[in-house]
Amino acid sequence: MKIFLIGFMGSGKTHWGERLARSLRIPFFDLDKEIVDKEGRSIPEIFAESGEEQFRIVEKQLLESLIETQSSMVLSCGGGTPCFFNNIELMKKNGLTVWLNTPVDILMQRLLKEKNERPLLKNMADSEMKAYIVRKLNERRLYYEQADVILEKDNDLSINDFIQNILHV
Ligand code: S3P
């Protein structure tokens, strides 16, 4: 079983991914972390030194490699992963895709605190952030909506409810 968690930055992919993998007793991977380990550089460094295009190429290569080498896993993707190349089709073909469709206000609260870790937000004034999230989310919705399962509210779910919602078990 391969489960791909997708959604905007700050939607809770890593938080839920770790818990889900633990409960299902299958390996957990965070695609951003795989990229950082392979490159030996932080994500802001990769963006600054090599550009987003290069980041997307490495992201795709590591996605393909995890799909190929892991028989079961929960993979927490980056916010942009499903929106480049044919990544969303690839994930859907190889497992269950889950979109954490977290409300914009919650994304805002979380991202304001973690802005510096994310190159796409780093130089943005706090006052511009909400408009940016709304616009970017609208661009990306097209990809996120292709997920097999869409979770609208994650905030007060227990891990058992979360599993029930996505696997209907
Ligand atoms: C990105 C999201 C980040 C990371 C990179 C680009 C995006 O991952 O992959 O900074 O394009 O939305 P998280 O969604 O885990 O923050």
Side-chain angles (χ1 to χ4, degrees):
M1 181 195 332
K2 294 180 185 127
I3 301 177
F4 303 92
L5 298 186
I6 66 171
F8 207 77
M9 293 174 267
S11 59
K13 299 174 298 259
T14 304
H15 170 90
W16 284 109
E18 283 172 347
R19 280 160 188 77
L20 183 59
R22 208 178 305 133
S23 293
L24 299 175
R25 296 172 201 276
I26 58 178
F28 169 74
F29 295 92
D30 181 324
L31 194 51
D32 284 341
K33 186 171 178 303
E34 295 299 307
I35 297 168
V36 168
D37 290 351
K38 170 158 192 278
E39 290 283 302
R41 302 183 281 173
S42 70
I43 291 182
E45 279 167 353
I46 302 170
F47 268 68
E49 294 165 8
S50 310
E52 179 171 355
E53 223 171 293
Q54 178 60 23
F55 173 84
R56 297 301 172 192
I57 292 171
V58 178
E59 182 179 48
K60 181 180 183 46
Q61 285 168 348
L62 287 169
L63 173 66
E64 286 173 343
S65 141
L66 283 168
I67 288 175
E68 224 174 86
T69 55
Q70 303 301 312
S71 53
S72 283
M73 68 172 165
V74 175
L75 179 65
S76 158
C77 297
T81 312
C83 316
F84 290 84
F85 307 107
N86 63 338
N87 292 349
I88 185 70
E89 285 92 13
L90 185 70
M91 291 190 271
K92 281 170 66 79
K93 215 169 74 191
N94 285 282
L96 183 77
T97 46
V98 180
W99 174 24
L100 303 185
N101 185 15
T102 306
V104 170
D105 287 334
I106 297 181
L107 295 178
M108 261 290 276
Q109 284 166 24
R110 292 181 187 158
L111 292 174
L112 279 173
K113 285 185 232 148
E114 302 166 8
K115 214 164 87 168
N116 289 334
E117 295 151 35
R118 291 167 164 106
L120 297 176
L121 306 176
K122 215 172 163 194
N123 298 317
M124 195 172 296
D126 289 4
S127 57
E128 294 168 342
M129 186 104 104
K130 186 158 182 179
Y132 174 83
I133 295 174
V134 169
R135 182 170 56 78
K136 201 81 181 160
L137 194 52
N138 278 334
E139 284 169 24
R140 290 183 166 180
R141 189 175 295 279
L142 176 73
Y143 300 94
Y144 293 156
E145 272 173 355
Q146 296 180 44
D148 302 300
V149 180
I150 299 179
L151 266 191
E152 299 291 342
K153 272 198 172 175
D154 68 356
N155 246 4
D156 38 17
L157 285 184
S158 70
I159 182 64
N160 287 338
D161 291 342
F162 186 87
I163 291 176
Q164 182 129 32
N165 272 302
I166 64 169
L167 299 178
H168 309 292
V169 290

